Amino acid sequence: MRVYIPVFVVWLIGLLMGLGNRTMAQERPPHFEFGHIREQDGLSSRKVYSLLHDREGFMWVGTNNGLNRYDGTHFVKFRHQRNNPHSLLNNQVYALCEDKRGRIWAAHENGVSNYDKTTGRFEHITTVDNQPLGVCKNARCDRAGNIWFTSRNRGLFGYTTKTAAVHYYTAEATDRTGGIRTLPNGLVEDPDQPGLWMAEAHGLRYFDTVKKQFITYRNNSRHSPVLTPNDVSALAMDGNRLLIADHTDHSILIYDLHGQRILKRIRPDSPQDRADFFGSSIFVDRRHNLWVSTWGGKSFHINTRTDRVTRLGHAQSEPNALGSDIITSAWQQSDGTIWLGTVNGLAYTNPERALYDVYDLEALFPALTDERGIMSFAEDPDGSWWLGTSIRGLLHYVPATNRLDVYRLPEQTAQYPWGMPIIGLHHWGEEILVGSATAVYRFNKRTHQFRSIALPPSARSVSLRTFRLVGNQYWVFGDGKLAFAYDMARQQWQTFPIRSASTDPRFVVRQTLLDRRGNLWLDIHPEGFARFSAQKKEFIVTDAGQAGYEATLNSLTEDRDGSFLMATDMDGLVTYDPVRRRHTVRVENEAMTFSQCTAAQSDRFGNTWVADLNLFSVITAGRKQVFNFSLPINAYTTIYSTYLFPMQNGHILSAQKGHLVEFKPQNLRPAHRPEPVLLNRLALNDTTLLLHSPTPPIRLKSDDNSFMIEFSTLAPSANQHYRYKLEGYDGWKESGTQTNAVYTKLPGGEYVFRVFAVAGDLRSLETTLAIHVDTIFYNTRWFQALLGAVVLALLYSLYRYRLRQSARLHHFQIQMTRLERDKAEIQYHNLINHLNPHFLFNSLTSLNSLILTKPKDASLFLRKLSVIYRYILQNKDSELVSLQAELTFAQNYIDLQTTRFGEGLHISISISPDSLTQRIVPVTLQNLLENAIKHNIVSDDCPLDILIYTETDRLFVQNSLQRKNFVETSNKQGLNSLKSLYHYLSPRKVTVDETATEFKVSVPLL
């Protein structure tokens, strides 16, 4: 029994110490937050085999269902098409590389292929020396620009780009099967020597690309310590160091190629992980840390500085975990973002630019989350943190070592076995000042002992609510109109009044604030704000008008402009200017995620952080942008309050129940300008143009004047946005996070699309694309010029036509005047003829003789003579009369002439009945008869024969020709005037035919 007493005492002492100093410690693993891109985001398959970043800036992703080109937002997919020999060779894309011409080489299940960006076509190599290649899982472009690839069944092949010849290299001269089974991720180029390192199931191999020889452990003329028969499964290069996954030794071997010595071997600590440490892929980031995956389905992160191996697990409950157990390939961007190809899509993270680190105290102390968790914070000069909890006492956490110590408060109750909730924590020398609702303690950091500070009598009945250390004075406030200040040096209490006229029984000091000028402020409910007056030794209310938001105020801090920042339950973030006494309310409809918030804090850059549970909004300096996000913790509960505390390093610490989240505001600001924007595709109505850099000018038809341009950057920063314009059409547009630009019904012309990314105060270089849109023919310059020429020609022709018409009109007017004159002249001559004294004398003589001999005939003669003159007078102004009327008139004239000449005049009429309705110039027949009688001899001995007849729309007057030697009253113009008159009325002419025996005049019938 005596033997066990010392052991029991030691155990009892340890138990008692544990009640006051519960210690849990384990080294804190590195924390990574991963984003994910999967099939629902556009990836052709979640199973990724290979990654490649090309010279243009695009990322190519090889999957088990095709090849993808990714610009950060949009995927372009390439797949095998059975009827297209220039499509992808096979949808299984195991490896990728790019040659110096920019062609993308892909290794497939049945050979290799290359994609020419200029033609958009794939060319394939499936056989060498009439033998099928089989499964190819490695492809590498060397410094000379030649392509090397391996076949699992045959070995190593080299493609010379200058000659386009493929050469096959056997391991042994007599071995036609190749003798090599190189695993995926097992082919790397030596950084200095012209050679390749190959991971093979029977040892590491080196291939001299000049001598075309293999070097193994069997012919190790270099005496290299890594050329052994050990099973090697994967390789990687880190500068001049070769990294080898040694399956036989269950380690990652780091080999110095210059010194030809093994620097170290790294193995997992866990025996199970070590047994499964059969590396399938190795990736080295720019900090020389390793990302390793094994054929056993495990992935690890290795810190090569400390050789710590951390398992990267896949957990469905952690959406920001890796998301897969296997890493197949990787690539790191210039901004530090690491892209990982996995069997569950793409994963990406940026350890260098992480916005926050999460400290999982719940894993160290599960009881911490029983109620509201962590409530208060004080930072120790040694970098450790002191934390006050709701029901689990005082915590001391060392972030560097992930060590957590728990201390119970002295006054425990049944409800609070670890002590009352700790509301206030302040660092004072070697002590921590601890404030609860009923007591104030001094905790010695060295002895871990609590010592109570006795409250003044007037404070013992007060429920304490808030604490503040100002210089040597420790201020305590509660639900009364008194403030208590404890002088740490003198160890004495002083009491100061809060001058308020309020009689509200709910009067309570909820928050305190020490502004940059050294003024101590109180937030009093329901009074407003009060400030301490050192002269009057009291708190004076400065803003007695209680605003609506003050009823739900949760936190009070100051921004860099001197305004108060207040988180409220209903009005979101409220900013109050104590000088002007103005407040500004910013709620969720002003781009914030929420209107209820429990904490607000300003950082050293002027950004404002607002939190509610695991939701956050960051309002950038100048209120230009709002960045919203959520933390991947505490999604299962809302029974807690979020707190934000400023840290000495400029960071902001958030208490999230059982977690602490350290935000790094500097990582909101981009470390360098954003990557240039990638132009991905130009989509038309019926086709899509794949864009490459540099892209030649795009020429579009006139009916392709509506299109969409896709653009993006890989892994944009959190607050990145885009600006673009189509030069020649519109001005700069702010697109936010939208990554496409749409234009419709553009007029033809020359345009330049310009776009750049903006992150904070930095902007990327402009990316441009020249676009020519054909002009519709009727809008082209040549057509408009031709149209103008035609219009001018038409106008000129019209002008000339008008001139000609005017000239013709003038000519016609002259002609009409002349014809009118001729007509009048003819009519005058007709009248003269009929009124000719000889005709009248002859007619009167004939009348006289008839009166004496035949009175009755004389009367008839006289009537006919009067009818003749009446007809002439009636129709002297008429242009045309019917042939019937003219014949009736002419018959009277014929009767008179027959009476006069008797048997000396023979007149015959033969008129077609169809011609009687046709028209003729008045007195035409009389003129023609008068003309015949006047110019020919009429006597019984030599009678004059006159024939009047019609034929083919013409009237003929024909007489026998027996001319007189002298014609009285003839001016020889009668027929000419008649011709002119008919020419005026019709294009058909009056014709005159004369022979030796007869004279005939033809007049057109109109």
Side-chain angles (χ1 to χ4, degrees), residues 43 48 53 95 140 326 339 373 403 482 533 551 559 570 578 596 685-686 717 722 744 762 777 796 845 891-892:
L43 189 63
V48 176
H53 183 243
R140 179 76 59 179
I326 300 177
W339 293 85
R403 176 189 176 97
L482 293 178
S533 173
D559 66 15
M570 297 181 61
Q596 177 181 0
N685 291 330
D686 55 354
S717 60
Y722 299 92
T744 57
L762 301 177
F777 74 93
Y796 180 73
T845 301
Q891 187 62 50
N892 294 318

Side-chain angles (χ1 to χ4, degrees), residues 150-170:
T150 64
S151 168
R152 184 173 63 187
N153 296 328
R154 299 190 61 191
L156 180 65
F157 295 84
Y159 174 86
T160 306
T161 54
K162 291 183 179 180
T163 62
V166 183
H167 301 281
Y168 171 47
Y169 302 99
T170 59

Side-chain angles (χ1 to χ4, degrees), residues 933-1004:
I933 293 171
K934 182 169 54 176
H935 290 85
N936 291 280
I937 299 171
V938 181
S939 65
D940 294 339
D941 296 333
C942 186
L944 177 65
D945 296 323
I946 299 175
L947 178 61
I948 301 171
Y949 65 95
T950 58
E951 187 178 297
T952 61
D953 294 334
R954 297 188 74 86
L955 175 69
F956 294 89
V957 177
Q958 176 181 319
N959 63 276
S960 55
L961 188 61
Q962 41 198 35
R963 293 185 179 276
K964 293 180 179 180
N965 293 328
F966 173 74
V967 179
E968 297 178 355
T969 66
S970 175
N971 55 10
K972 303 182 184 295
Q973 296 296 323
L975 285 177
N976 290 334
S977 297
L978 190 64
K979 288 181 181 179
S980 298
L981 184 59
Y982 270 91
H983 178 70
Y984 163 74
L985 296 173
S986 171
R988 297 162 65 192
K989 298 179 179 180
V990 174
T991 60
V992 176
D993 296 322
E994 182 180 353
T995 63
T997 60
E998 62 184 17
F999 185 87
K1000 181 169 60 176
V1001 179
S1002 171
V1003 179

Side-chain angles (χ1 to χ4, degrees), residues 231-252:
D231 186 356
V232 178
S233 56
L235 300 174
M237 294 300 307
D238 182 15
N240 64 339
R241 298 188 296 178
L242 176 65
L243 283 73
I244 306 167
D246 190 332
H247 184 216
T248 303
D249 193 46
H250 304 286
S251 65
I252 299 294

Side-chain angles (χ1 to χ4, degrees), residues 142-269:
D142 65 15
R143 290 186 295 275
N146 299 318
I147 307 299
W148 300 88
F149 54 93
T150 64
S151 168
R152 184 173 63 187
N153 296 328
R154 299 190 61 191
L156 180 65
F157 295 84
Y159 174 86
T160 306
T161 54
K162 291 183 179 180
T163 62
V166 183
H167 301 281
Y168 171 47
Y169 302 99
T170 59
E172 306 293 341
T174 58
D175 185 2
R176 301 307 300 170
T177 64
I180 297 177
R181 290 180 61 84
T182 305
L183 296 175
N185 301 304
L187 180 66
V188 298
E189 183 182 15
D190 192 286
D192 300 317
Q193 304 299 322
L196 303 170
W197 293 92
M198 302 172 62
E200 197 247 332
H202 302 292
L204 183 66
R205 291 177 182 265
Y206 178 79
F207 180 73
D208 190 319
T209 57
V210 175
K211 298 179 179 180
K212 306 298 188 292
Q213 293 179 350
F214 285 97
I215 301 174
T216 67
Y217 70 94
R218 294 188 179 92
N219 59 342
N220 188 3
S221 59
R222 296 185 178 186
H223 304 288
S224 174
V226 293
L227 294 177
T228 67
N230 286 5
D231 186 356
V232 178
S233 56
L235 300 174
M237 294 300 307
D238 182 15
N240 64 339
R241 298 188 296 178
L242 176 65
L243 283 73
I244 306 167
D246 190 332
H247 184 216
T248 303
D249 193 46
H250 304 286
S251 65
I252 299 294
L253 187 151
I254 300 179
Y255 177 62
D256 183 358
L257 292 171
H258 288 175
Q260 295 191 16
R261 61 191 181 94
I262 297 174
L263 300 178
K264 65 171 72 175
R265 293 179 183 271
I266 304 175
R267 302 179 180 89
D269 295 330

Side-chain angles (χ1 to χ4, degrees), residues 251-322:
S251 65
I252 299 294
L253 187 151
I254 300 179
Y255 177 62
D256 183 358
L257 292 171
H258 288 175
Q260 295 191 16
R261 61 191 181 94
I262 297 174
L263 300 178
K264 65 171 72 175
R265 293 179 183 271
I266 304 175
R267 302 179 180 89
D269 295 330
S270 166
Q272 183 60 47
D273 288 342
R274 188 180 302 175
D276 296 335
F277 207 60
F278 181 18
S280 61
S281 65
I282 305 173
F283 170 66
V284 187
D285 64 26
R286 64 188 186 186
R287 292 187 172 180
H288 309 289
N289 297 320
L290 309 184
W291 304 73
V292 179
S293 190
T294 70
W295 289 107
K298 294 181 179 179
S299 295
F300 302 90
H301 175 266
I302 301 176
N303 187 322
T304 54
R305 183 177 56 83
T306 63
D307 294 347
R308 173 168 181 169
V309 181
T310 302
R311 175 81 179 272
L312 298 174
H314 161 57
Q316 293 184 350
S317 60
E318 297 183 20
N320 292 93
L322 178 59

Side-chain angles (χ1 to χ4, degrees), residues 870-887:
R870 185 181 302 111
Y871 179 82
I872 292 172
L873 293 174
Q874 287 177 347
N875 294 286
K876 65 178 182 178
D877 295 325
S878 299
E879 287 187 347
L880 297 172
V881 295
S882 66
L883 181 59
Q884 177 69 49
E886 182 69 11
L887 286 172

